[in-house]
Amino acid sequence: MSEAVEGEAVEVGAVDAGSVGSGSVGSGSVESGAEVAVAERFEELYGTAPEGVWAAPGRVNLIGEHTDYNDGFVMPFALPHTTVAAVSRRTDGVLRLHSSDVDGGVVELTLDGLAPESDRGWTAYPAGVVWALREAGHAVTGADVHLTSTVPTGAGLSSSAALEVVVALALNDLFDLGLKGWQLARLCQRAENVYVGAPTGIMDQTASACCEQGHALFLDTRDLSQKQIPFDLAAQGMQLLVVDTQVKHSHSEGEYGKRRAGCEKGAALLGVDALRDVAYDDLDAALERLGDEEEVRRLVRHIVTENHRVEQVVALLEAGGTRAIGPVLIEGHASLRDDFRISCPELDLVVDTAIASGALGARMTGGGFGGSAIVLVESADADTVTKAIQEAFAAADFTTPRVFVAVPSAGARRVS
């Protein structure tokens, strides 16, 4: 269960996946009446009321980083922070797009003119979804779309997947396509891989489309089998903090692609279809077979041990041992830092400070190179740990981090 790039869209060229959401961090949800404002703004833009309003969440990955594009295991849950879309059908082959979070007016595209990697702006994500649906043979004839978002951008919380999934769900409903959540996720992944040109895995889109409130999603990214694992921290006197370091989550230098290629090289050298096929108990022998391929050895070690960590966390949660997942989170961070080498000083400072201040566990989450960390704490310790992290950032002269409580929330849905 992994998350193909551990979430957050990969930045490709000038494409900024994080440009859609404004990134406010409170309760996060823009529903509960805000859909009315979205619908009203739609009517101002397009001259008529929308046919409906939909919402899709960002996500936090509890454990299972970079395993998804290795056919492995991941365990995300949805955030209350959502991207909301007011949408109506068109029949003239025109796609009109607008976001309240991006400067500029309505962008108008023709469906026949949509082509992979032709767009380097935020509109590549919704346009790519339309392209992927049409490429798959679905009769989408055009749409008017207005978007707004509270998913923090550049923070490794999958703002791009939320954008893709909300558009896909709206079009699925409006054009009666009859697609299931996992099918929409696959199409959204194809949009991001081929149209945008970002080699992400399937985790982010599946989390946004399929998560359930109060649960984490145990996902096998090979066969897309899913299991909803109860994850109600508040009832057990705990909280999971998300600490957004405000270091831009970016893969523009191709570091994500390098690691994916390294994983594929490791699988080829070991004679398996994907690193998911290397058993944890056989890891030492596999590493020995890789000889002096030190970089590949590190990548293989992370993926195999990370899959094992996902299985450990599932077993602990199902047995009621939620507090015991803390050390597993810490181990995961060390692996991402030392073997996958995608952490940064700010992420390491969050983890080290949190643990020193009494947190049960902590690790970076997402694709890496910035973004966010998660911190598991007793509820009574949340303020103390938060203050310690903020003070540590101030002492290091880092930008003040944004901290909020992650509450496992519902996946994509129609809201009006």
Side-chain angles (χ1 to χ4, degrees):
M1 322 188 112
S2 92
E3 167 216 1
V5 44
E6 185 296 357
E8 206 62 4
V10 175
E11 188 176 58
V12 206
V15 176
D16 183 359
S19 62
V20 178
S22 60
S24 60
V25 181
S27 63
S29 177
V30 293
E31 296 176 44
S32 304
E35 66 268 17
V36 175
V38 174
E40 289 175 348
R41 180 59 175 146
F42 180 101
E43 189 165 358
E44 292 174 4
L45 291 165
Y46 300 119
T48 185
E51 293 185 74
V53 178
W54 291 259
R59 67 92 192 92
V60 164
N61 193 25
L62 180 62
I63 193 73
E65 225 61 83
H66 286 270
T67 49
D68 61 348
Y69 56 83
N70 289 285
D71 282 1
F73 306 131
V74 293
M75 198 173 184
F77 63 87
L79 290 168
H81 305 72
T82 58
T83 295
V84 176
V87 186
S88 286
R89 288 168 289 186
R90 297 180 66 95
T91 59
D92 58 357
V94 171
L95 175 64
R96 295 195 293 182
L97 302 167
H98 183 268
S99 171
S100 64
D101 306 307
V102 180
D103 291 336
V106 173
V107 177
E108 184 170 314
L109 305 168
T110 62
L111 301 192
D112 290 341
L114 300 180
E117 299 192 56
S118 60
D119 188 347
R120 286 291 183 260
W122 70 269
T123 53
Y125 295 89
V129 169
V130 175
W131 171 84
L133 285 167
R134 284 166 54 85
E135 282 287 301
H138 300 293
V140 176
T141 57
D144 289 336
V145 182
H146 170 59
L147 298 146
T148 190
S149 182
T150 59
V151 182
T153 61
L157 303 176
S158 298
S159 58
S160 62
L163 169 57
E164 293 158 355
V165 169
V166 75
V167 171
L169 180 61
L171 297 177
N172 182 56
D173 288 353
L174 290 174
F175 288 96
D176 295 320
L177 303 182
L179 298 171
K180 304 295 185 183
W182 67 268
Q183 293 172 306
L184 293 176
R186 272 292 190 211
L187 286 166
C188 289
Q189 182 198 17
R190 176 168 170 75
E192 192 154 340
N193 289 172
V194 180
Y195 195 91
V196 177
T200 61
I202 191 64
M203 179 181 75
D204 296 347
Q205 292 86 356
T206 305
S208 186
C210 301
C211 279
E212 294 182 3
Q213 185 172 352
H215 293 76
L217 177 67
F218 178 44
L219 172 67
D220 184 330
T221 64
R222 170 166 283 172
D223 62 13
L224 298 188
S225 59
Q226 303 176 16
K227 187 175 184 180
Q228 301 287 343
I229 307 296
F231 191 54
D232 186 353
L233 292 174
Q236 301 178 65
M238 287 175 283
Q239 294 181 358
L240 190 73
L241 307 177
V242 174
V243 182
D244 175 8
T245 65
Q246 303 209 61
V247 176
K248 185 170 175 55
H249 178 104
S250 170
H251 307 271
S252 58
E253 298 177 4
E255 292 299 321
Y256 169 77
K258 290 179 184 177
R259 281 153 182 78
R260 181 163 186 163
C263 290
E264 292 170 352
K265 181 179 179 180
L269 289 172
L270 293 171
V272 295
D273 291 337
L275 292 182
R276 182 277 187 55
D277 296 312
V278 180
Y280 178 73
D281 290 342
D282 297 335
L283 176 59
D284 288 344
L287 295 177
E288 186 174 348
R289 289 171 57 196
L290 292 172
D292 60 359
E293 293 277 357
E294 182 56 34
E295 182 177 359
V296 175
R297 284 166 55 91
R298 288 190 288 99
L299 298 178
V300 169
R301 183 164 50 231
H302 168 72
I303 297 301
V304 175
T305 58
E306 187 78 347
N307 277 324
H308 182 62
R309 282 186 285 273
V310 176
E311 293 178 310
Q312 286 181 292
V313 168
V314 171
L316 288 167
L317 291 179
E318 290 186 326
T322 305
R323 285 173 174 81
I325 74 172
V328 185
L329 301 183
I330 297 170
E331 291 172 9
H333 183 77
S335 182
L336 290 162
R337 180 192 64 210
D338 301 335
D339 279 341
F340 231 66
R341 299 189 181 181
I342 57 172
S343 190
C344 66
E346 291 85 353
L347 288 168
D348 292 341
L349 184 59
V350 172
V351 172
D352 293 344
T353 304
I355 300 306
S357 303
L360 298 167
R363 74 171 188 90
M364 60 155 285
T365 185
F369 314 103
S372 298
I374 55 174
V375 181
L376 182 66
V377 296
E378 302 286 357
S379 296
D381 296 334
D383 289 345
T384 299
V385 173
T386 297
K387 182 179 179 182
I389 292 170
Q390 292 171 336
E391 290 177 347
F393 267 56
D397 201 26
F398 291 155
T399 300
T400 303
R402 297 182 289 182
V403 183
F404 63 93
V405 179
V407 179
S409 300
R413 62 273 186 194
R414 186 167 185 163
V415 296
S416 70

PDB file of all heavy atoms in Angstrom, residues 18-35:
ATOM      1  N   GLY A  18       0.372  22.456  -6.580  1.00  0.00           N
ATOM      2  CA  GLY A  18      -0.139  23.058  -5.364  1.00  0.00           C
ATOM      3  C   GLY A  18      -0.770  24.407  -5.568  1.00  0.00           C
ATOM      4  O   GLY A  18      -1.120  25.072  -4.622  1.00  0.00           O
ATOM      5  N   SER A  19      -0.953  24.849  -6.800  1.00  0.00           N
ATOM      6  CA  SER A  19      -1.432  26.204  -7.019  1.00  0.00           C
ATOM      7  C   SER A  19      -2.939  26.330  -6.903  1.00  0.00           C
ATOM      8  O   SER A  19      -3.475  27.408  -6.988  1.00  0.00           O
ATOM      9  CB  SER A  19      -1.011  26.671  -8.415  1.00  0.00           C
ATOM     10  OG  SER A  19      -1.589  25.860  -9.408  1.00  0.00           O
ATOM     11  N   VAL A  20      -3.628  25.207  -6.716  1.00  0.00           N
ATOM     12  CA  VAL A  20      -5.079  25.290  -6.731  1.00  0.00           C
ATOM     13  C   VAL A  20      -5.664  25.666  -5.392  1.00  0.00           C
ATOM     14  O   VAL A  20      -6.599  26.432  -5.306  1.00  0.00           O
ATOM     15  CB  VAL A  20      -5.670  23.943  -7.206  1.00  0.00           C
ATOM     16  CG1 VAL A  20      -7.171  23.996  -7.182  1.00  0.00           C
ATOM     17  CG2 VAL A  20      -5.184  23.669  -8.618  1.00  0.00           C
ATOM     18  N   GLY A  21      -5.122  25.125  -4.300  1.00  0.00           N
ATOM     19  CA  GLY A  21      -5.712  25.375  -2.993  1.00  0.00           C
ATOM     20  C   GLY A  21      -5.040  26.515  -2.274  1.00  0.00           C
ATOM     21  O   GLY A  21      -3.872  26.793  -2.455  1.00  0.00           O
ATOM     22  N   SER A  22      -5.798  27.197  -1.443  1.00  0.00           N
ATOM     23  CA  SER A  22      -5.237  28.329  -0.727  1.00  0.00           C
ATOM     24  C   SER A  22      -4.454  27.903   0.497  1.00  0.00           C
ATOM     25  O   SER A  22      -3.592  28.624   0.970  1.00  0.00           O
ATOM     26  CB  SER A  22      -6.357  29.271  -0.289  1.00  0.00           C
ATOM     27  OG  SER A  22      -7.252  28.594   0.565  1.00  0.00           O
ATOM     28  N   GLY A  23      -4.761  26.716   1.025  1.00  0.00           N
ATOM     29  CA  GLY A  23      -3.963  26.174   2.117  1.00  0.00           C
ATOM     30  C   GLY A  23      -4.314  26.691   3.492  1.00  0.00           C
ATOM     31  O   GLY A  23      -3.497  26.692   4.377  1.00  0.00           O
ATOM     32  N   SER A  24      -5.525  27.170   3.709  1.00  0.00           N
ATOM     33  CA  SER A  24      -5.898  27.554   5.061  1.00  0.00           C
ATOM     34  C   SER A  24      -5.966  26.298   5.905  1.00  0.00           C
ATOM     35  O   SER A  24      -6.351  25.249   5.443  1.00  0.00           O
ATOM     36  CB  SER A  24      -7.264  28.242   5.057  1.00  0.00           C
ATOM     37  OG  SER A  24      -8.258  27.394   4.553  1.00  0.00           O
ATOM     38  N   VAL A  25      -5.599  26.401   7.161  1.00  0.00           N
ATOM     39  CA  VAL A  25      -5.567  25.221   8.009  1.00  0.00           C
ATOM     40  C   VAL A  25      -6.401  25.464   9.250  1.00  0.00           C
ATOM     41  O   VAL A  25      -5.977  26.078  10.197  1.00  0.00           O
ATOM     42  CB  VAL A  25      -4.126  24.865   8.409  1.00  0.00           C
ATOM     43  CG1 VAL A  25      -4.125  23.625   9.271  1.00  0.00           C
ATOM     44  CG2 VAL A  25      -3.281  24.654   7.180  1.00  0.00           C
ATOM     45  N   GLY A  26      -7.621  25.022   9.195  1.00  0.00           N
ATOM     46  CA  GLY A  26      -8.475  25.089  10.365  1.00  0.00           C
ATOM     47  C   GLY A  26      -9.164  23.760  10.440  1.00  0.00           C
ATOM     48  O   GLY A  26      -8.536  22.729  10.388  1.00  0.00           O
ATOM     49  N   SER A  27     -10.480  23.778  10.491  1.00  0.00           N
ATOM     50  CA  SER A  27     -11.196  22.519  10.421  1.00  0.00           C
ATOM     51  C   SER A  27     -11.036  21.934   9.040  1.00  0.00           C
ATOM     52  O   SER A  27     -11.138  20.740   8.839  1.00  0.00           O
ATOM     53  CB  SER A  27     -12.677  22.744  10.710  1.00  0.00           C
ATOM     54  OG  SER A  27     -13.241  23.581   9.723  1.00  0.00           O
ATOM     55  N   GLY A  28     -10.798  22.801   8.060  1.00  0.00           N
ATOM     56  CA  GLY A  28     -10.469  22.338   6.726  1.00  0.00           C
ATOM     57  C   GLY A  28     -11.655  22.256   5.799  1.00  0.00           C
ATOM     58  O   GLY A  28     -11.552  22.645   4.654  1.00  0.00           O
ATOM     59  N   SER A  29     -12.768  21.726   6.214  1.00  0.00           N
ATOM     60  CA  SER A  29     -13.867  21.500   5.307  1.00  0.00           C
ATOM     61  C   SER A  29     -14.448  22.812   4.807  1.00  0.00           C
ATOM     62  O   SER A  29     -14.599  23.772   5.540  1.00  0.00           O
ATOM     63  CB  SER A  29     -14.971  20.702   6.000  1.00  0.00           C
ATOM     64  OG  SER A  29     -16.075  20.543   5.150  1.00  0.00           O
ATOM     65  N   VAL A  30     -14.758  22.831   3.496  1.00  0.00           N
ATOM     66  CA  VAL A  30     -15.418  24.011   2.949  1.00  0.00           C
ATOM     67  C   VAL A  30     -16.884  23.703   2.671  1.00  0.00           C
ATOM     68  O   VAL A  30     -17.527  24.379   1.894  1.00  0.00           O
ATOM     69  CB  VAL A  30     -14.717  24.501   1.662  1.00  0.00           C
ATOM     70  CG1 VAL A  30     -13.348  25.010   1.993  1.00  0.00           C
ATOM     71  CG2 VAL A  30     -14.647  23.419   0.609  1.00  0.00           C
ATOM     72  N   GLU A  31     -17.405  22.665   3.310  1.00  0.00           N
ATOM     73  CA  GLU A  31     -18.822  22.368   3.161  1.00  0.00           C
ATOM     74  C   GLU A  31     -19.610  23.099   4.245  1.00  0.00           C
ATOM     75  O   GLU A  31     -19.208  24.119   4.735  1.00  0.00           O
ATOM     76  CB  GLU A  31     -19.026  20.851   3.225  1.00  0.00           C
ATOM     77  CG  GLU A  31     -18.346  20.117   2.066  1.00  0.00           C
ATOM     78  CD  GLU A  31     -18.458  18.626   2.188  1.00  0.00           C
ATOM     79  OE1 GLU A  31     -19.554  18.141   2.519  1.00  0.00           O
ATOM     80  OE2 GLU A  31     -17.456  17.932   1.975  1.00  0.00           O
ATOM     81  N   SER A  32     -20.761  22.574   4.616  1.00  0.00           N
ATOM     82  CA  SER A  32     -21.602  23.174   5.642  1.00  0.00           C
ATOM     83  C   SER A  32     -22.014  24.582   5.262  1.00  0.00           C
ATOM     84  O   SER A  32     -21.835  25.522   6.018  1.00  0.00           O
ATOM     85  CB  SER A  32     -20.878  23.187   6.993  1.00  0.00           C
ATOM     86  OG  SER A  32     -20.479  21.891   7.351  1.00  0.00           O
ATOM     87  N   GLY A  33     -22.545  24.734   4.081  1.00  0.00           N
ATOM     88  CA  GLY A  33     -23.016  26.051   3.667  1.00  0.00           C
ATOM     89  C   GLY A  33     -22.099  26.723   2.684  1.00  0.00           C
ATOM     90  O   GLY A  33     -22.539  27.530   1.873  1.00  0.00           O
ATOM     91  N   ALA A  34     -20.802  26.414   2.744  1.00  0.00           N
ATOM     92  CA  ALA A  34     -19.880  27.034   1.798  1.00  0.00           C
ATOM     93  C   ALA A  34     -20.173  26.580   0.378  1.00  0.00           C
ATOM     94  O   ALA A  34     -19.842  27.281  -0.584  1.00  0.00           O
ATOM     95  CB  ALA A  34     -18.433  26.711   2.174  1.00  0.00           C
ATOM     96  N   GLU A  35     -20.818  25.392   0.232  1.00  0.00           N
ATOM     97  CA  GLU A  35     -21.166  24.964  -1.123  1.00  0.00           C
ATOM     98  C   GLU A  35     -22.130  25.948  -1.764  1.00  0.00           C
ATOM     99  O   GLU A  35     -22.175  26.085  -2.990  1.00  0.00           O
ATOM    100  CB  GLU A  35     -21.763  23.548  -1.112  1.00  0.00           C
ATOM    101  CG  GLU A  35     -23.086  23.416  -0.406  1.00  0.00           C
ATOM    102  CD  GLU A  35     -22.922  23.040   1.066  1.00  0.00           C
ATOM    103  OE1 GLU A  35     -21.815  23.184   1.607  1.00  0.00           O
ATOM    104  OE2 GLU A  35     -23.929  22.614   1.659  1.00  0.00           O
TER     105      GLU A  35
END
